[in-house]
Amino acid sequence: MQDLPCTESERYPWLTEPAKRNLLRMLESVHAPTFNHQCGDRLDPKTREQCAEFEKSLAGPLHRPSEPEPAWLNAFQTRCVEHVPIYRQLGRGATRFSELPTVGRKDLYDQPWAFVPDNQPLDDLMVYFTSGTTGRHLDILSHPYVSTCYLILLKKVLAEFGIRLKSGPDQVVIALVCAQKSTYTYASVSGYLDGAGFIKINLNSSDWPEPEAIGAYLRDMNPQIISGDPLALAHLRHVAPALRPDALVSSAMTLSEPFAQALTKTFECPVLNVYSMNECRLLAYQSQQGFRLASPDVYMEIMDPDQDQVLQPGQWGELVVTCPRNPFLPLLRYRTGDFGRLQPSDSGWLIQDFEGRPPVAFRTQQGTWINNIDISAKLRDLPWIQFTLHQKKSGDLVLELLAEAHLIPKVTQRLKALFGAGQKIQVKTFDPNAQAKPIQYSSVLDQQPVNLSFP
Amino acid sequence: MTRREGPPLADLLNRMVATPADFLREIPLNPKLGDFNILALINDLFLHIDGTPLKAHETGIFIFKKQAVAAYRNHMRLAAFTAWLLFEPLGHQPGLFRQHLIEWLSKGLAELGHWVTPEQVRLESDRREEFVRLCLRALGLRPAGESIHQAEDRLSTLDSAERARTVEKARLAEQRAREIREAMARKRAQEAAATYGRE
């Protein structure tokens, strides 16, 4: 569907002349791709003020493991149960936060409107759609505020790494690089960053004047930060290895530590791995100890995937988030579909052994069962870019791997060490274009209850 | 249906207003972890009214099974509240109410629990009277001094008012859902705001 364009004043209610010049510079460069879309930040004065409040709130303390539930939680629960249809329906009668039932993606599929508070005006409603991991179309309702909150959080996370996110209309601060069959591409400017530029480009696309234009355009735009999933960042190493951004930001897929190191070596900058989801955008970022929550407006719990039972710190289970950030989608005990364990630390909660999927059981040659986490742990120190592993009815494995050729025997060797020497492994090259977000682990034999308490 | 004459309506309404806080308290999901055991309370009610405690197969509904926490809690609070309401006024009448009472405490209050809390029942006069009348009807009783026809007529009036409120609420909820769906259809075809990272 061709999007109905906004007017320029709807797209950029604040647009200044210098910002407009910055936009034209990104659009009209001789190396520029044919952008197929237009997109602004839709930041009106009221939303900007709310964003400023959000930024101020980040100075507040994160929830500490030694403390009881955060102070805002009860008021948020009351507000949701009073004004949000789905929580009114499910949460009435629960007097404590811990008694609230969880909600999940199925609820969003079935009735996204039930998450919209009764008193929320619909003027600023935006609809993103995602096919998610199941391929089923999912509408995510959102607000321009949430998009700019991502920038504010990114600014904070970068500061943790000693990097100051620039602002001003004479530069491009972020390039979001994609390596997909097709995706929206556009150039934009941010009012919150005083007209600083943002480009979203597709490295795979035939939209470029010539193949060399990709590197030349990125060199000319000289983005301070380059973000993308590991596949796109791997592609970037080939097409523009001479770029020297201040940082790379990886998201959406598992980033192996050795591959992150390889990226650092190429681009001579740190690689930040962030945990972000469409429903409320950036939630956490990876540190040496695990993923740290990025903002005090996030309350994370770890739960049994099959019932509303909170697990103890250190136990592995489903991440359940409470976050009031999205005005059209307040999240109250929302099951993320992502897994990990929550560990207390002096500076706040850490998410460790993070996996963006429910657990999958694999059968070994000995007839025993192992979890996908065992496999992740076994392959953790190898610099693969991306892989998927599927177990067929026969027990044979299909490994689709994107990595340098010399790594293939190492990976299969490690898998055989886990599954048994006689394990048959069919190796294919991972096709980055096959699916927008690959399902890393799958098995037709997965009928075994997964042991969630493995180390 | 034959309906016996039960206690006077006013007695029950007064008793409801005077419900001790103990019968309105939170219900612990695991009775072993709290100082209030809903099963014991309901058992006492049956011993007092019927002379026979709950049988094993009758206890399931009062035990939390780790699902629908809010619905369970509200249902059980209504059951505790009802136990107080009926304990004295029904007196000791073995065999007379047992089956009705089981049905009302399990299915009747589970259904009603979708719509009201004990607080709403106690504090809103129409709901107070409606609840008492529903209780009596469920037990095959009518308020003392009223004919069956009068009792039904009065309940129907209260019920109609409640139904009208419920219908109006449902209408407003559906109207809002429709507005959001329409806005979604419009906005889905519109440009959104820039997203700065991949999710």
Side-chain angles (χ1 to χ4, degrees), chain A residues 4 92-93 99 139 276 281, chain B residues 73 114 187-189 193 199:
Chain A
L4 300 177
R92 190 164 47 76
E99 289 172 356
D139 282 324
S276 185
R281 304 292 172 194
Chain B
R73 168 180 290 281
H114 292 305
K187 307 280 182 165
R188 202 180 281 132
E199 263 83 25

Side-chain angles (χ1 to χ4, degrees), chain B residues 7-187:
Chain B
L9 187 75
D11 287 3
L12 288 163
L13 291 173
N14 290 338
R15 189 169 167 83
M16 186 188 282
V17 173
T19 308
D22 269 357
F23 291 85
L24 294 165
R25 65 199 296 180
E26 287 180 16
I27 305 289
L29 300 181
N30 180 351
K32 288 179 190 160
L33 300 179
D35 55 358
F36 185 82
N37 189 328
I38 182 68
L39 199 54
L41 178 74
I42 300 297
N43 215 33
D44 282 352
L45 177 72
F46 275 84
L47 273 174
H48 178 74
I49 291 175
D50 190 63
T52 314
L54 283 174
K55 292 172 183 147
H57 72 273
E58 294 167 334
T59 58
I61 192 70
F62 303 105
I63 297 168
F64 177 61
K65 297 181 188 67
K66 298 200 181 301
Q67 280 131 1
V69 175
Y72 167 82
R73 168 180 290 281
N74 197 40
H75 179 188
M76 291 304 111
R77 292 185 72 225
L78 282 170
F81 175 69
T82 304
W84 158 260
L85 181 69
L86 299 178
F87 194 87
E88 289 298 337
L90 288 191
H92 184 61
Q93 307 208 51
L96 202 57
F97 298 120
R98 184 178 186 87
Q99 201 47 43
H100 287 324
L101 201 50
I102 283 282
E103 287 280 316
W104 176 239
L105 291 173
S106 56
K107 292 179 189 162
L109 292 186
E111 173 62 26
L112 207 59
H114 292 305
W115 308 105
V116 291
T117 62
E119 285 73 20
Q120 287 170 323
V121 169
R122 204 167 67 90
L123 300 175
E124 296 174 21
S125 61
D126 276 4
R127 284 197 162 140
R128 194 153 59 219
E129 185 176 338
E130 185 190 10
F131 187 82
V132 167
R133 287 180 179 278
L134 284 171
C135 275
L136 290 176
R137 188 173 69 172
L139 298 173
L141 297 172
R142 58 190 155 81
E146 288 186 13
S147 66
I148 293 178
H149 178 75
Q150 283 170 325
E152 279 301 304
D153 193 43
R154 183 70 187 130
L155 181 58
S156 153
T157 309
L158 290 165
D159 206 24
S160 304
E162 180 53 28
R163 201 178 307 125
R165 275 197 294 270
T166 307
V167 167
E168 178 60 8
K169 263 192 199 168
R171 191 188 65 76
L172 288 173
E174 181 45 39
Q175 183 184 324
R176 171 74 174 170
R178 192 172 56 245
E179 282 167 11
I180 298 170
R181 283 196 295 269
E182 285 167 2
M184 282 173 65
R186 281 196 312 275
K187 307 280 182 165

